[in-house]
Amino acid sequence: MESRRRFGQGVVVLESDIDSLGHVNNTVYLRYIEDCVTAHAESVGMSLARLRQLGVVPVVRRHTITYHRPALLGDALEVSTEIVAFRSFRATRHNRIFRAGVLLVECETDWVWIDPLRGRPKAVPDEVQKAFGLI
């Protein structure tokens, strides 16, 4: 079940991802990571629509990102995410971006689960925890 906590997908750097310094813009790395997190949730049956039905949605509290090397136009990247901590209404994901096995970016993301109607933190239902292999 623990493997349900991890997910990865490929992405190729497009011209629109490049900034004036000739490498991937820092905001684009976050988009790559959020796209991977969304695909992970969908792969275990927890799309945003399904989460809303269950009465919880994840909201980013904090990103801590470290850039090791730049990604360039045309690079084939591997983006991965893993749930590394979970407590009631909070979770932490460790995200990484690699090019040919070389670490480019690491990002620790703290998430808070929110009741979408009340905008308040809410404990995650067992169905969601089971889908991600947390219980």
Side-chain angles (χ1 to χ4, degrees):
M1 272 288 221
E2 186 179 345
S3 65
R4 294 177 71 84
R5 294 179 183 207
R6 292 187 295 272
F7 184 83
Q9 66 181 20
V11 64
V12 175
V13 176
L14 304 174
E15 189 171 339
S16 59
D17 298 338
I18 302 298
D19 65 16
S20 60
L21 298 175
H23 55 71
V24 171
N25 184 273
N26 60 322
T27 61
V28 174
Y29 289 115
L30 286 175
R31 187 186 76 219
Y32 293 163
I33 290 165
E34 288 209 12
D35 289 350
C36 185
V37 168
T38 298
H40 180 206
E42 291 172 353
S43 78
V44 298
M46 290 294 138
S47 66
L48 185 56
R50 179 67 184 132
L51 290 170
R52 284 183 183 184
Q53 288 174 343
L54 294 170
V56 293
V57 294
V59 176
V60 171
R61 179 173 177 266
R62 175 180 53 213
H63 289 296
T64 303
I65 190 162
T66 303
Y67 303 98
H68 298 283
R69 291 186 167 82
L72 307 171
L73 180 63
D75 282 351
L77 307 177
E78 180 66 25
V79 183
S80 67
T81 187
E82 180 179 6
I83 300 169
V84 295
F86 179 84
R87 299 167 305 284
S88 182
F89 61 87
R90 296 181 74 175
T92 302
R93 284 180 176 267
H94 190 81
N95 312 286
R96 294 183 178 118
I97 301 175
F98 291 90
R99 178 185 56 232
V102 176
L103 180 63
L104 305 182
V105 175
E106 290 179 280
C107 179
E108 198 82 15
T109 304
D110 293 327
W111 296 83
V112 177
W113 292 89
I114 302 289
D115 178 324
L117 299 177
R118 297 178 43 213
R120 304 289 304 156
K122 181 177 179 180
V124 177
D126 286 352
E127 184 176 342
V128 175
Q129 294 180 57
K130 287 177 186 173
F132 286 105
L134 300 167
I135 58 172

